[in-house]
Structures are given as structure tokens and as C-alpha cells.
Amino acid sequence: MNLAVPISVLLVEDHSLLRMGIKLSLSNEQSILIVGEACNGAEAIDKVAALNPDVVIMDLSMPVMDGLQSARILRQLGSHAKIIILSSHQEDSVVLSALSSGARGYVSKDLTDDNQLLNAIRAVQSGEIWLDPRIKNSMLKSSFELKNCDAQQSLDEATQLDIEQKDTVLSLRKVDCDFAPQYLHGLSSKFEYLNLLGRGGMSVVHKVRHRLLDKVFAIKFLSSALSTSDSLCKRFTLEAKITSHLNHPNIVNTHDYGIAPDGQPYLLMDFAEGPTIADVLTANGKVSESHARPIFKQIAEALNHAHSHGIMHRDVKPSNVILTRDEKGELRAKLLDFGLAKMTDYDNQSLTKTGQCAGSPLYMSPEQCRSSQLDERSDIYSFGCLMYEVICGRPPFRGSSAFDTMHMHVHDQPAEPDSELCSAALNQILHSCLQKDPSLRLSSSELVKLL
């Protein structure tokens, strides 16, 4: 690597004293240039677009938007900046979540060696994956104790690791495969663990078989590293309360909520197998109207059911709709992940801070972007964005940064869909759903009739 050209670094940390300390520790290193600072994930996304740094040092836990969500959005936006997560958490689950979110490095805030951060910056800039040595050794030690785990499954596909990191990838994959029994400790008499289904920044989902019912379910746990957060536990409990009111063939329904013996809260949900709409779009680019309309109608029916119970989803997007087959082999769309959902009856218990945006920028309503009061009509706008992308092969708005995209949602009009792709009738539906004024949008019940 040519050190004559400094590595440009964006420093993202909400604690000013820690930012100052990191800057001082790197100030004498000629190969590193701090080009900017940010105090939360949302600000970081905007500054990455403006400054185009080589490396982003990102705190994990921050207000407005955490480091994992910011890393995922940067990856979706195609940023080439290498992300290093800086955190006091050293649990395997958190490290794996960071890597799956797009991070290339993970450094503990408890720095015992001043050169660790410098080594991490140089390593990720040269294309390597870099883990704090203590964390890596702990994960490798755990991996040797695991049995009957398919280490060849492609974690590297999810994290885009380079082939020369094969040994590290396999070790991390082994830890990931056998992670579920740690959550299910004390529940093994009730559930048979089958495999990991997915992992996000806040939760992990596994496939299990209920021993007495002999039926397969999905079981969702709050990540162990976050289970000590009172507000996140309350949000997880609220998700259980909200989804317990829903029972619909086009929704991934919740069947039980409980606390494992080790204190971990969990949700027992329908197991639905199949690609998400996001997977279909990645593979095919777009979907013809004739094939898409039945799917749209089912999503509208799911939203109408939720809205009739006073429930807003608040995160309607292609990756939150899974396409599966029912008992007759017919295609069925299922709306999932009510983790950001809100119920009118629980408004006075709202866990979203004032001025905090909740949702995914490509599909957020104008009122979400402004952090205004929301109702069911916000879901209609997001659903309109989803339908537009399915038909046109692109979202209605995509700016150079998350903030640019949100600004477009508030102020701009989407391009007219190609008439060869979109009928006049569907175009009118899209036009209504994407109105800036919520009062001009169709209701979910009207959408069911029109679709």
C-alpha cells in the first residue's frame, strides 16, 4: 500500500471526548487524514456522500441512527468507504451483525494498544477484514467447540468477504451456525433447533420445531448484547403486543411471546419460506404488471387488516414482504417485521424519540422524513414506493445520500412510469399513493378494491 497518499477517515462518534481522544491518537500518523466528524449515523451518511472518505470509523450505539443501520444504508447506496465499527460490545452476535451489515473491521473501545486502530485502518483500506485480536481469538476458540455445523455456507456472500479470508470466514460461520442453542438454552425441551434464518442489527431469527405440536416455527430473539437495554426490551414487548392482534394469511403472524430462562425475550412466529420481493428485484430487475398485481392486492389486504386494528407498520419495503406457497401451491405474499409498528392504543408509550426518523429512506413517507406525526396513510406512501419499484425496476426517489433521498420524498415528484410497463389504471393508483399530502392518498381498503 502506498502510504504517500494519506488514508482519508471520517470519524463518527456521539461522545465528543472520545472523538477528541481518537483524533489525538491518530494526529501524529502522517498516513492518516481525518477529513470530517459526525455525531450520529444519519449525519454520517450525508458526510460520506459529501467527503467520500476511504474509511469510516463508526460508533455502534448512537442517537437518531445507530452504526449498524448506517452501515447497511451506506452499502445499499453503493458507498465504497470501508467501515470500522468501534464498540464496547465484544459479544460474537454483535460482531457478526456488524460484518453482515457491511463493516470491514471491528475494534473494541477498550484499546489496550494504541496501534490497534491504526492497524485496522490500514488493513481495511488494503482490502482485508480486521477484527480486534481479543475478539477474533475468542470467536476462533468458540468455533473449535462446535459440531455438526455446515461451515461451507456462504457468510462471505452476505458480508462480501474476500476469498483470501477463507479461514476466518469459516470460523465466523461456525460461530454463527451454532449461535442459536445459546439463545434456546432452557427451551430445548419445547423446541428443536433447526437452523439460523437471519440476523439484523437488533434481533436474530431461527427456525425451530415445536416438539409437542410437531410444527415448524420461526423464533425471534432480541440480540443478547441489546437485551440489557430497557427501552429496546420495551420495544420488543410492544412488537409482541401489537402483532398478537393480527391474524391474517398475508401477515407473518405471532403465536407466542415469552422470556427464556436466561432472561432473553422471544417471539414465536409463522415460518414462511421463500424469497423476499427484494430478492426477486435483485435477480430480475422488475416484475411485469400481470404478475405483480395479485401480489400487490395481497399486500394491500395485509395492510388493511393491520390498519383496521389501528396498527401502522411504518417500514413497508420489498425486503419486508416474503413470497411463499400455500398448501395448494399458490403464491402468497406475507408482510413481516412489525419491529417499527405502532398501535394507536399505545401512543402514550411511544418509544421513538421526538425528531427521530424510523424507517428506510428509499420508502419513507414525507411525514416520516420530517419526523411528523404518522398515521396509516404513511404506510400507503411506502407501499406506493414498493409498487413503483417492482413495476419500474427502480425506486421513485434515490438521492446521493439518505438525506438527499428524504429531501426528494418531501419536495420532488417521481418520474412517470413507462406506459409499456404500467397501465393507466395502475399509474393512477401509484399517483394517488405517492401524494405528498396524506389526505389525498387512497386508503388500504380502497386499494384492496382497486387492485
Side-chain angles (χ1 to χ4, degrees):
M1 182 175 64
N2 182 12
L3 297 181
V5 179
I7 302 171
S8 58
V9 175
L10 173 66
L11 181 55
V12 187
E13 167 61 55
D14 59 322
H15 294 293
S16 58
L17 288 178
L18 186 53
R19 283 204 310 272
M20 183 181 299
I22 294 173
K23 287 171 61 179
L24 287 174
S25 69
L26 297 174
S27 60
N28 294 326
E29 181 54 53
Q30 298 298 315
S31 64
I32 306 295
L33 177 64
I34 305 293
V35 294
E37 300 176 39
C39 59
N40 60 67
E43 185 181 354
I45 293 170
D46 209 34
K47 290 207 171 183
V48 167
L51 302 173
N52 193 28
D54 297 316
V55 175
V56 179
I57 300 174
M58 184 93 72
D59 187 16
L60 179 65
S61 301
M62 296 181 290
V64 182
M65 183 185 294
D66 65 32
L68 297 185
Q69 185 178 1
S70 179
R72 285 194 294 269
I73 292 174
L74 286 171
R75 185 172 65 176
Q76 291 170 3
L77 294 174
S79 171
H80 297 294
K82 285 86 170 179
I83 298 173
I84 298 173
I85 293 294
L86 187 65
S87 174
S88 58
H89 293 291
Q90 299 186 24
E91 297 87 347
D92 294 351
S93 61
V94 182
V95 179
L96 289 166
S97 292
L99 293 175
S100 64
S101 296
R104 305 286 292 181
Y106 196 99
V107 179
S108 172
K109 283 186 177 180
D110 181 23
L111 293 172
T112 57
D113 181 354
D114 291 339
N115 290 322
Q116 283 191 25
L117 187 56
L118 178 60
N119 292 338
I121 293 171
R122 289 173 171 169
V124 300
Q125 176 63 8
S126 65
E128 299 176 19
I129 300 294
W130 197 95
L131 297 180
D132 185 300
R134 292 165 297 174
I135 296 173
K136 182 177 180 180
N137 290 338
S138 174
M139 296 179 75
L140 291 175
K141 181 179 178 181
S142 298
S143 71
F144 291 129
E145 301 172 358
L146 306 180
K147 297 178 181 180
N148 301 322
C149 181
D150 184 6
Q152 300 300 323
Q153 294 184 26
S154 54
L155 178 65
D156 50 333
E157 291 182 6
T159 57
Q160 300 178 355
L161 304 183
D162 300 322
I163 192 66
E164 57 264 28
Q165 276 79 39
K166 181 179 178 181
D167 292 339
T168 300
V169 169
L170 295 182
S171 297
L172 293 179
R173 181 61 195 171
K174 287 179 180 179
V175 173
D176 198 36
C177 287
D178 205 47
F179 185 64
Q182 298 178 39
Y183 276 124
L184 291 169
H185 179 69
L187 295 175
S188 58
S189 62
K190 187 174 183 179
F191 301 111
E192 175 192 356
Y193 170 64
L194 298 178
N195 60 268
L196 174 73
L197 290 177
R199 185 190 304 280
M202 293 180 59
S203 61
V204 59
V205 183
H206 305 280
K207 181 180 178 182
V208 296
R209 185 186 306 279
H210 195 292
R211 295 186 186 276
L212 294 179
L213 299 178
D214 192 26
K215 183 177 179 180
V216 174
F217 291 94
I219 190 167
K220 179 179 181 179
F221 289 91
L222 186 65
S223 293
S224 60
L226 305 177
S227 62
T228 56
S229 168
D230 185 57
S231 63
L232 290 177
C233 285
K234 287 180 178 178
R235 183 177 291 280
F236 197 78
T237 302
L238 181 57
E239 179 183 355
K241 291 180 178 178
I242 288 175
T243 54
S244 69
H245 289 76
L246 303 176
N247 184 16
H248 192 273
N250 296 116
I251 291 177
V252 173
N253 299 304
T254 297
H255 297 277
D256 191 17
Y257 170 74
I259 306 292
D262 65 353
Q264 282 292 107
Y266 68 86
L267 296 175
L268 189 68
M269 308 178 297
D270 288 335
F271 169 67
E273 191 169 25
T276 65
I277 290 180
D279 295 329
V280 173
L281 292 177
T282 298
N284 302 314
K286 62 176 73 73
V287 180
S288 67
E289 181 177 341
S290 60
H291 287 91
R293 284 289 283 264
I295 296 172
F296 292 163
K297 185 177 182 66
Q298 292 182 40
I299 299 171
E301 289 173 341
L303 288 173
N304 186 45
H305 178 75
H307 293 170
S308 68
H309 287 76
I311 296 171
M312 294 173 275
H313 188 281
R314 297 206 299 174
D315 199 20
V316 178
K317 59 184 178 181
S319 60
N320 277 341
V321 180
I322 192 167
L323 303 176
T324 187
R325 298 281 178 180
D326 61 18
E327 296 80 2
K328 299 179 181 179
E330 296 179 356
L331 186 66
R332 188 176 296 279
K334 284 183 174 284
L335 184 62
L336 55 90
D337 198 352
F338 280 75
L340 290 179
K342 188 175 182 182
M343 190 172 185
T344 305
D345 291 346
Y346 296 100
D347 269 354
N348 61 346
Q349 301 177 29
S350 175
L351 299 172
T352 302
K353 298 177 182 177
T354 302
Q356 180 172 332
C357 294
S360 303
L362 289 175
Y363 312 98
M364 286 169 62
S365 68
E367 54 268 34
Q368 271 182 301
C369 296
R370 293 192 298 262
S371 298
S372 301
Q373 187 70 29
L374 304 180
D375 59 25
E376 291 84 354
R377 295 171 296 185
S378 178
D379 283 345
I380 300 301
Y381 184 93
S382 300
F383 182 33
C385 292
L386 180 153
M387 290 191 289
Y388 186 102
E389 183 174 6
V390 169
I391 295 298
C392 300
R394 66 183 187 280
F397 302 110
R398 185 193 289 274
S400 59
S401 71
F403 282 172
D404 283 345
T405 300
M406 293 161 70
H407 184 274
M408 295 169 75
H409 280 301
V410 174
H411 298 287
D412 295 357
Q413 295 298 323
E416 284 292 316
D418 189 329
S419 60
E420 294 183 1
L421 301 175
C422 185
S423 67
L426 182 56
N427 190 16
Q428 185 60 39
I429 292 173
L430 295 179
H431 184 265
S432 174
C433 291
L434 294 174
Q435 289 291 319
K436 307 300 183 187
D437 183 352
S439 67
L440 299 178
R441 297 173 199 155
L442 294 166
S443 67
S444 53
S445 60
E446 290 173 323
L447 279 171
V448 170
K449 296 175 182 177
L450 292 172
L451 289 168

